[in-house]
């Protein structure tokens, strides 16, 4: 039996047309981020296993692919207590941990406030399913060294501009602050050591609703008074009512959250008294800094799963989708794990694999792409002279030997993004002006 020739589960091949589409979208994103003052860097696909499992990556650490040490012996296998004892490296599961290590390694050569672009593949040992892969591309921008909310304002503005450039309308940025979440839980009476578990349950609001959240908290044995206090929080009760009115059986979809003019007072009105004042002030300042340019929505129960977030957190929401298109937040404590002193940092990541299916290539894209379909008796010198002339004019040129079935060949050229073709015979010579160009019907 022949060996399978498909890629590993959760990983994909991309045909030329698919690859061209992906590169087009990536170029748009890169162009916007560079216009906003960010610089692109590159980090290795692997990091030290100890770094990847240092508690910085939350649940993603459990999904990291480990790389076994070289020259392992049977004694090594016998003495290993865990599989990680046999690994010294691992594939990166996100781009934030490598960025923190990169900054700590290169701090002396970077500006005081560093704005980074990272667009690269990452790997997670996910259970493959629709829309979830083991290898996928992340598009990250981060600002390191800026403690003020101008960093969040820049990140959100750049991300919103990228979505506009991709022609994806209707997106909004949902925003919250981890300080608000933790201070709210304290005010409500949840024990500090239980906060992480309570946040995991709150993060299920979209899926199980307010009744499900309260039931799960009771099942887990949390204080009855704290649970009742949560149920009485204005935003929590409003979430339940809005979710019920918006339910349509279409699956996971977040109920509308508090919008309009976001001020410290309007945000505080949705929460119990005594929440973190600095967080209220920062969220109001972010809203004021963005003005009407970005649709910003305060979502009091936006959690974001990464435990390293320390301040504002945000996600991209789309009215027709039941999942976010990206997200991020402030992680002031991470780089300090490498340097020994804290460095302020915040970042925003677009979910490229989710975006790609929403982007339509613009009409006329690739109009200069040209194919030369040549007869067998055309000299190589003439062909290369014609090709060199067209390439010098800025065209992308492909040479195609005339096949028996021209229709199939032309369909393939159109599918690969070529917009026009010309036939070349021995009599054409090297005169590009003598070519008779005909359009190719572009594939959908």
């Amino acid at each position: 039996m022949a060996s399978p020739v498909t890629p590993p589960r959760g990983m994909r091949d991309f045909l030329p047309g698919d690859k061209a589409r992906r590169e087009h979208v990536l170029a748009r994103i890169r162009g916007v981020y560079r216009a906003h003052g960010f610089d692109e860097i590159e980090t290795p696909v692997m990091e030290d296993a100890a770094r990847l499992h240092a508690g910085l990556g939350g649940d993603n650490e459990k999904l990291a692919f480990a790389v076994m040490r070289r020259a392992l012996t049977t004694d090594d296998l016998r003495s290993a207590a865990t599989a990680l004892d046999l690994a010294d490296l691992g594939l990166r599961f996100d781009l934030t941990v490598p960025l923190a290590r990169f900054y700590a390694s290169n701090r002396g050569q970077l500006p005081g406030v560093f704005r980074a672009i990272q667009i690269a593949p990452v790997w997670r040992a996910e259970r493959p399913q629709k829309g979830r892969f083991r290898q996928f591309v992340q598009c990250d921008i981060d600002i390191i060294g800026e403690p003020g909310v101008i960093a969040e304002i820049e990140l959100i503005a750049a991300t919103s501009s990228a979505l506009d450039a991709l022609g994806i309308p209707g997106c909004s940025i949902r925003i919250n602050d981890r300080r608000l979440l933790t201070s709210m839980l304290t005010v409500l009476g949840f024990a500090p050591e239980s906060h992480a578990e309570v946040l995991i349950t709150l993060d299920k609001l979209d899926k199980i609703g307010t009744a499900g959240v309260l039931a799960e908290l009771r099942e887990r044995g949390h204080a009855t008074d704290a649970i009742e206090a949560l149920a009485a929080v204005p935003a929590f009760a409003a979430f339940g009512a809005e979710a019920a009115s918006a339910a349509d059986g279409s699956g996971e979809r977040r109920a509308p959250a508090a919008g309009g003019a976001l001020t410290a007072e309007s945000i505080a009105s949705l929460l119990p008294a005594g929440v973190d004042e600095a967080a209220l002030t920062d969220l109001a300042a972010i809203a004021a800094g963005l003005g009407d340019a970005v649709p910003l929505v305060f979502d009091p129960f936006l959690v974001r799963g990464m435990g390293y977030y320390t301040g504002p957190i945000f996600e991209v929401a789309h009215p027709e989708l039941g999942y976010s298109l990206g997200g991020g937040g402030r992680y002031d404590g991470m780089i300090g794990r490498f340097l020994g002193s804290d460095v302020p940092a915040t970042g925003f990541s677009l979910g490229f694999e989710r975006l790609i299916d929403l982007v339509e290539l613009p009409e006329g894209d690739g109009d200069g792409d040209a194919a030369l379909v040549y007869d067998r008796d055309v000299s190589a010198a003439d062909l290369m002279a014609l090709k060199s002339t067209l390439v010098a004019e800025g065209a992308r040129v492909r040479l195609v030997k005339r096949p028996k079935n021209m229709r199939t060949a032309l369909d393939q050229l159109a599918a690969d993004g070529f917009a026009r073709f010309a036939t070349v015979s021995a009599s054409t010579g090297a005169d590009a002006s003598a070519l008779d160009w005909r359009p190719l019907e572009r594939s959908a």
Side-chain angles (χ1 to χ4, degrees), residues 102-112 114:
F102 171 92
Y103 183 82
S105 298
N106 299 284
R107 186 180 188 183
Q109 303 173 64
L110 299 173
F114 179 51

Side-chain angles (χ1 to χ4, degrees), residues 403-414:
K404 291 182 179 179
N405 189 334
M406 276 289 288
R407 186 69 266 166
T408 299
L410 297 180
D411 287 345
Q412 184 62 59
L413 287 169

Side-chain angles (χ1 to χ4, degrees), residues 11 34 39 42 75-76 112 174 192-193 208 245 250 270 272 287 293 297 321 338 406 408 437:
M11 301 182 184
R34 288 190 61 80
D39 293 314
E42 183 174 330
D75 289 339
D76 293 325
R174 293 181 176 268
E193 62 272 16
I208 64 178
S245 65
S250 61
L270 297 170
V297 179
L321 302 175
F338 299 113
M406 276 289 288
T408 299
W437 292 105

